[in-house]
Amino acid sequence: MLSPENKKRILVLGVGNILWADEGFGVRVVEEFYRRYTIDDNVSILDGGTQGLYLVSFLEQADCLIVFDAVDYGLSPGQLKLVRDDEVPKFTAAKKLSLHQTGFQEVLSAADLLGRCPRELALIGCQPLDLEHWGGPLTAPVRVQITPAIELACNLLAQWGAPARPRAAPLPASERLLGNNIDHVNYERAQPI
């Protein structure tokens, strides 16, 4: 068992753009994970949004990485797929929404070039249905995969010696990962489904 001084540093990261329907899957999952669970001090939770290469510094500090993202695996809409370690880079080249958006594959490559890529990688990807609806909510087949994606992450965290624990009480609105009406519930309440 690892002592507190040598615990693995773990990053749980959601990437994507909540303004493009299912492209927001990764952000919505990490947001919900944060709302439902507490974690040890060696685990960080981050909404990476569309920060691209700015995320490299966060990866440099992690021994283990879990990424939630919408990924075009060529599967049925809403299907989840977990890929690990060396398989991760080949699946992260999903369609970019604009020329200025850096794909997560480039973020991993940059961290690897610096010799600071996490030793253990896990990508929990969901096959999107709609990436074109500007301002749209997650589609139904993608939305229902939030809980199963969180369960996969909880299993990984337990394997890495940092189990997530359900919160005893709901998280107050002031402590949400996202606020200002862009959190999942408030944002989607204002949207036609």
Side-chain angles (χ1 to χ4, degrees), residues 95-166:
K95 173 177 127 175
K96 293 181 186 178
L97 296 175
S98 65
L99 293 175
H100 71 271
Q101 181 183 351
T102 303
F104 197 70
Q105 184 175 15
E106 287 90 346
V107 175
L108 285 173
S109 295
D112 193 42
L113 282 172
L114 293 169
R116 297 182 187 142
C117 198
R119 292 189 310 265
E120 297 183 69
L121 303 172
L123 170 64
I124 300 172
C126 185
Q127 179 68 43
L129 172 63
D130 180 6
L131 297 175
E132 304 295 328
H133 185 176
W134 170 252
L138 295 178
T139 60
V142 171
R143 186 180 320 108
V144 300
Q145 294 302 331
I146 291 174
T147 295
I150 291 171
E151 290 168 357
L152 283 172
C154 287
N155 290 338
L156 288 164
L157 288 169
Q159 290 171 24
W160 291 339
R165 294 167 307 283

Side-chain angles (χ1 to χ4, degrees), residues 11 51-62 102 104 106-112 114 116-118:
L11 176 60
Q51 293 299 306
L53 291 173
Y54 290 107
L55 295 173
V56 171
S57 63
F58 293 99
L59 269 64
E60 290 176 333
Q61 300 170 32
T102 303
F104 197 70
E106 287 90 346
V107 175
L108 285 173
S109 295
D112 193 42
L114 293 169
R116 297 182 187 142
C117 198

